[in-house]
Amino acid sequence: MIILKGATKIYAGKPAVDNLSLSVEKGEIFVLVGPSGCGKSTTLRMVNRMVEPDSGTIMVNGTDIRSQSPEALRRGIGYVIQSIGLFPHMTVSENIGTVPRLLRWDKSKTAERIDELLLLIGLDPQRYRDRYPKELSGGEAQRVGVARALAADPPILLMDEPFGAVDPLTRKRLQVEFRELQRTLHKTVLFVTHDVDEAVILADKIGVMRQGILLQSGRPESFLRAPADDFVHDFLGTDYSLSMLSRLKAMDYCCQTYPGNHEEQVPVILSTASLKEAFSMFISSGSEYLHIQDLHGESRGFLSLNHLLQPFAGDAHEQ
């Protein structure tokens, strides 16, 4: 869906993006990570021609982006940024309906799409349709920003630090919600962040950039086995293997019964929690079991610390 071949952008005689080649397959989330100024956002903006490349080729859905006008190109690409960018003088429904109005959708179709998207992002249309951005929390506003990007149902999303402006708890929730949303939508997503944990949670593939150069790309687990160089290893961090636990659901490791008495005293963890969150709760609580419950408080089973550690103990014994 998105292919860059030798894409280069030069500012003041210095390449911001240097001979970059990568491909984002249909329906996958490709996350670019790297330090500030490494060329991540410039790469994103070249794809929708907010920034024109100086050389190289960029293909979107099999077509060279320079073969069509920027306006026509952007109609098929949703764009979400860190500062959200909602129009303050417009209501939530007016913000979400911006692109459909530009495409001259009829009012009933637009209204139906707005309500559909509000439900999709977990906001009650009756409560939020007529609110203004100043009446929203940071997390709610970011959800509306995502809904606006999805309004015309574009096959491609470009997301530039989309959750960077909200508090850590809200950010974590948005990451999980977006990943679940992607299971339904199957959009092709090029995502930019400097947060390694965020990349691990969201990415089908990760690309690490430095000084405009793509140093390494691949599935998240590939970086565990063979980081390309010391910079990639150091940037991802020594706890990258722990970050990988964020990709695993605690629910997938639960048993159905608790072997002891007094189940009500076992710490509770939500069924949406990751294995990383589960290990954190094991450590903080000192308990050997966790009670997994869904959002309605219904029991989904129990997690055993000893059961989780057995594979790791086996690995250590083999070494």
Side-chain angles (χ1 to χ4, degrees):
M1 288 289 285
I2 304 174
I3 300 175
L4 286 77
K5 295 181 179 179
T8 299
K9 181 63 185 178
I10 296 174
Y11 291 115
K14 183 178 180 180
V17 176
D18 191 358
N19 195 33
L20 175 62
S21 296
L22 63 82
S23 63
V24 186
E25 302 299 326
K26 183 177 181 180
E28 79 176 5
I29 301 177
F30 192 113
V31 180
L32 288 174
V33 297
S36 298
C38 72
K40 307 185 300 294
S41 294
T42 300
T43 298
L44 209 68
R45 292 169 188 156
M46 286 196 295
V47 173
N48 68 356
R49 295 188 66 183
M50 291 183 71
V51 170
E52 295 287 351
D54 292 309
S55 61
T57 302
I58 300 176
M59 309 284 288
V60 171
N61 203 20
T63 303
D64 191 320
I65 62 171
R66 291 193 240 212
S67 68
Q68 56 186 315
S69 70
E71 293 76 20
L73 173 69
R74 291 168 194 158
R75 290 189 190 113
I77 299 175
Y79 188 47
V80 188
I81 58 177
Q82 176 175 341
S83 58
I84 305 168
L86 298 180
F87 301 115
H89 61 287
M90 291 184 179
T91 64
V92 164
S93 62
E94 289 169 339
N95 267 283
I96 296 174
T98 299
V99 174
R101 285 195 302 275
L102 291 173
L103 296 177
R104 301 185 184 280
W105 288 17
D106 65 63
K107 291 184 178 180
S108 61
K109 180 181 178 182
T110 300
E112 182 179 341
R113 179 62 173 163
I114 289 168
D115 285 358
E116 175 188 350
L117 286 168
L118 284 171
L119 289 171
L120 189 66
I121 62 172
L123 298 179
D124 180 1
Q126 291 190 350
R127 289 182 57 199
Y128 287 92
R129 192 187 296 126
D130 297 323
R131 290 189 182 183
Y132 286 88
K134 66 181 180 181
E135 300 173 292
L136 305 175
S137 70
E140 290 168 345
Q142 196 63 66
R143 285 181 175 86
V144 173
V146 172
R148 184 174 64 180
L150 293 170
D153 199 21
I156 293 171
L157 288 180
L158 304 179
M159 307 186 76
D160 193 353
E161 298 274 8
F163 310 137
V166 296
D167 65 86
L169 287 177
T170 301
R171 181 172 187 163
K172 179 74 172 178
R173 189 162 58 248
L174 288 171
Q175 291 164 357
V176 173
E177 289 173 354
F178 181 73
R179 185 71 206 189
E180 290 302 311
L181 197 62
Q182 172 66 358
R183 296 182 196 279
T184 302
L185 300 177
H186 306 293
K187 299 296 181 182
T188 301
V189 183
L190 185 56
F191 192 107
V192 161
T193 184
H194 65 275
D195 185 329
V196 172
D197 283 342
E198 182 167 75
V200 169
I201 290 169
L202 295 177
D204 296 303
K205 291 180 184 173
I206 292 175
V208 180
M209 294 186 69
R210 183 190 188 193
Q211 296 178 347
I213 297 172
L214 182 66
L215 300 178
Q216 183 176 358
S217 65
R219 295 190 61 80
E221 57 269 21
S222 68
F223 293 87
L224 280 174
R225 296 189 294 269
D229 57 22
D230 288 343
F231 175 83
V232 173
H233 176 272
D234 293 344
F235 181 80
L236 295 179
T238 55
D239 61 348
Y240 182 72
S241 56
L242 294 178
S243 297
M244 287 292 295
L245 294 176
S246 298
R247 296 177 66 84
L248 305 176
K249 287 189 174 182
M251 263 295 299
D252 294 336
Y253 296 82
C254 77
C255 53
Q256 293 305 309
T257 59
Y258 175 57
N261 298 318
H262 308 295
E263 291 183 7
E264 69 279 1
Q265 296 179 9
V266 179
V268 172
I269 191 168
L270 288 176
S271 56
T272 54
S274 69
L275 209 52
K276 182 179 180 181
E277 292 172 300
F279 272 114
S280 178
M281 184 169 287
F282 275 125
I283 293 169
S284 63
S285 69
S287 175
E288 295 183 5
Y289 285 87
L290 298 179
H291 189 181
I292 301 179
Q293 295 181 0
D294 62 23
L295 294 173
H296 304 290
E298 296 293 326
S299 177
R300 302 296 298 276
F302 292 84
L303 202 61
S304 163
L305 178 59
N306 184 57
H307 176 71
L308 288 176
L309 291 178
Q310 281 178 2
F312 299 99
D315 291 343
H317 180 70
E318 290 171 7
Q319 292 175 0

